[in-house]
Amino acid sequence: MSRDKEDYKELFKASNFIPCKSPEGFPPGGDCFTFNPEFGEGYYWYYEVPGQYNIKIHDFSFCKDEVLDFEIPECLSVTWYDSISGEELNPYRSLNCNVIKSFLGGYEPYRALIHRNIPIRSIGIEYRPDFFHQVLKDNFGSIYDDPRSAFKSIDETADFPEMKKLLWEIWKYDGARSSAALYYDGKVREALALVFERHRKLNEKAKTSISPADEELLKSLGLYINDHYADRITIQSLSKIACMGTTKLKSTFKVYYGMTIADYMQKVRIDHAEHLLAFTDLPISEVAKAVGYTSSGHFAELFSSSKGLLPLAYRKAFRCK
């Protein structure tokens, strides 16, 4: 069952958001809310076609660490995160920026810990079941597939420039309010087609089949990297641990984890660095060394790309009262 606009307005009110006029930099045609200053600052922009889809733009931060815990109706969503810091809690994983995230609503409550003072800056589209089923059938006919698997395939991907471009075009739309509905409808349908077309192409290219035995080896390899992230790890040493040739290891690792070995190692290191910046007084150069980087400048670039802020700015924002 989908919520209507009045339901969402009540939800915003309960979440300490106050209706306001959209500030400069937000598109026309939607409803805008600003944070009650006792709880945070910034804006939440929202546009909905009831029973079909909604578009959400977040540009706000909390004053203190906040645990989000709420039910989401059945839906599929796709979101670009330009900035965020925190952890999803079921299952546990870090929240990252500069990635496309997907979400399947209607199954389990959404629970996440959002870190204080770090901006949540994102734009996403949430689709209702009747709408996405009809659009996919209209566009793909006989090759129509389960859309949930298509959305799962794009979660946490940094390699989807077409989707990032489309979502930013919605945020930066400055056309007439009278034509906004037609513009949003076209973009929403295009985004859904992009997700499914990308999934179909990925399936065509997927030539690597992973056996249960190899899955167990790859799972153990991930745990090894998690314990030895600060060490100098070579592909040759990982190949020996996994009992695979380097070519097979690279291909199966990417299929199993959805990223290259280098990207996985970088993610683990940056997640540990985030904790050290927040909860220790180590100098930035020492944090870099502690997670395996010899160059603090290179570490700062990687951290900024992953978390949306430079290390020192992240530490100051996190500790700001």
Side-chain angles (χ1 to χ4, degrees):
M1 179 181 293
S2 66
R3 297 184 175 104
D4 59 24
K5 285 188 176 182
E6 293 306 316
D7 290 329
Y8 268 109
K9 286 180 179 179
E10 289 301 313
L11 180 62
F12 289 134
K13 183 178 179 181
S15 301
N16 300 301
F17 281 95
I18 305 165
C20 69
K21 181 180 179 181
S22 295
E24 186 176 350
F26 284 77
D31 295 315
C32 196
F33 302 80
T34 188
F35 230 147
N36 181 324
E38 292 183 18
F39 299 92
E41 61 179 11
Y43 300 94
Y44 191 137
W45 182 94
Y46 180 81
Y47 175 86
E48 181 180 23
V49 177
Q52 296 188 20
Y53 61 82
N54 62 61
I55 305 170
K56 302 173 183 176
I57 298 176
H58 297 164
D59 193 3
F60 61 84
S61 60
F62 292 101
C63 292
K64 60 180 182 179
D65 288 2
E66 189 75 23
V67 175
L68 306 181
D69 189 348
F70 51 84
E71 300 281 347
I72 297 179
E74 185 179 357
C75 66
L76 297 175
S77 70
V78 57
T79 303
W80 170 261
Y81 280 89
D82 185 55
S83 173
I84 193 167
S85 179
E87 297 83 32
E88 291 181 338
L89 302 177
N90 61 328
Y92 183 88
R93 65 174 180 176
S94 295
L95 288 166
N96 298 300
C97 63
N98 293 319
V99 296
I100 295 289
K101 286 184 62 64
S102 62
F103 185 79
L104 281 63
Y107 298 93
E108 296 180 353
Y110 181 77
R111 301 189 69 244
L113 171 64
I114 306 299
H115 295 166
R116 61 186 179 271
N117 300 323
I118 309 299
I120 304 171
R121 191 175 299 115
S122 67
I123 175 167
I125 303 170
E126 184 179 287
Y127 297 92
R128 300 299 183 212
D130 290 347
F131 181 79
F132 64 67
H133 281 299
Q134 188 60 54
V135 172
L136 290 178
K137 287 178 181 177
D138 290 346
N139 281 273
F140 296 94
S142 61
I143 61 170
Y144 174 74
D145 195 5
D146 178 10
R148 291 172 296 181
S149 60
F151 274 75
K152 283 182 180 179
S153 74
I154 64 168
D155 194 33
E156 292 287 325
T157 181
D159 184 25
F160 201 171
E162 304 93 335
M163 183 62 72
K164 178 185 175 182
K165 179 175 181 291
L166 183 149
L167 291 172
W168 277 117
E169 285 173 347
I170 295 176
W171 192 332
K172 301 305 178 183
Y173 173 68
D174 61 356
R177 185 183 183 92
S178 59
S179 59
L182 288 174
Y183 179 81
Y184 298 146
D185 193 70
K187 288 295 184 183
V188 162
R189 292 171 183 271
E190 181 185 352
L192 190 56
L194 281 176
V195 171
F196 192 69
E197 182 63 21
R198 186 179 190 275
H199 181 242
R200 188 172 66 84
K201 290 180 178 178
L202 285 174
N203 283 344
E204 291 175 353
K205 293 179 179 178
K207 299 177 181 179
T208 305
S209 176
I210 305 177
S211 69
D214 285 344
E215 284 190 3
E216 288 301 314
L217 290 170
L218 290 167
K219 188 183 298 183
S220 296
L221 192 65
L223 295 174
Y224 175 85
I225 294 173
N226 292 346
D227 285 342
H228 297 271
Y229 60 88
D231 299 341
R232 183 178 179 273
I233 302 176
T234 66
I235 187 65
Q236 289 76 20
S237 64
L238 293 177
S239 178
K240 291 179 180 178
I241 294 169
C243 303
M244 298 181 190
T246 56
T247 300
K248 179 182 178 181
L249 174 60
K250 290 177 182 178
S251 61
T252 56
F253 190 97
K254 188 170 184 179
V255 171
Y256 185 75
Y257 286 101
M259 64 185 77
T260 66
I261 294 172
D263 288 342
Y264 184 88
M265 290 175 60
Q266 179 179 309
K267 181 182 183 305
V268 172
R269 286 172 170 175
I270 295 301
D271 286 347
H272 281 281
E274 183 180 15
H275 179 84
L276 292 174
L277 289 166
F279 299 106
T280 77
D281 293 319
L282 286 173
I284 303 302
S285 59
E286 292 301 313
V287 172
K289 290 179 182 178
V291 297
Y293 294 106
T294 56
S295 167
S296 56
H298 181 54
F299 161 69
E301 290 177 4
L302 294 175
F303 188 92
S304 178
S305 177
S306 177
K307 301 300 179 181
L309 292 170
L310 288 168
L312 186 57
Y314 179 89
R315 171 175 278 170
K316 288 180 177 179
F318 188 86
R319 297 185 177 186
C320 180
K321 300 296 184 180

